[in-house]
Amino acid sequence: MLAARGMTLTELADRVGVTVMNLSVLKNNRARAIRFSTLTRLCQELGCQPGDVFSVRAD
């Protein structure tokens, strides 16, 4: 999604107000949780819905 929008992880982190490390954790499927406010800002910046960036999978 970042590549499609011509955006880097660093640029997205700056726009959303989170660290690059936190976005990296999300990007690499290592996150255990995300705040709704962070998810909302991510979706606003990427022009998408939560289901476009996250999916539910069985462990």
Side-chain angles (χ1 to χ4, degrees):
M1 192 164 275
L2 288 173
R5 284 156 178 76
M7 193 181 306
T8 65
L9 199 61
T10 302
E11 184 179 356
L12 182 60
D14 289 341
R15 289 182 179 195
V16 173
V18 297
T19 66
V20 174
M21 182 60 79
N22 283 342
L23 279 188
S24 180
V25 167
L26 289 170
K27 181 181 171 191
N28 294 311
N29 296 318
R30 291 180 286 149
R32 300 172 110 199
I34 184 171
R35 291 177 186 222
F36 284 116
S37 58
T38 302
L39 179 58
T40 300
R41 289 192 309 263
L42 281 170
C43 289
Q44 288 171 338
E45 288 300 325
L46 294 172
C48 66
Q49 294 295 313
D52 297 330
V53 287
F54 292 105
S55 63
V56 177
R57 64 179 184 188
D59 287 339

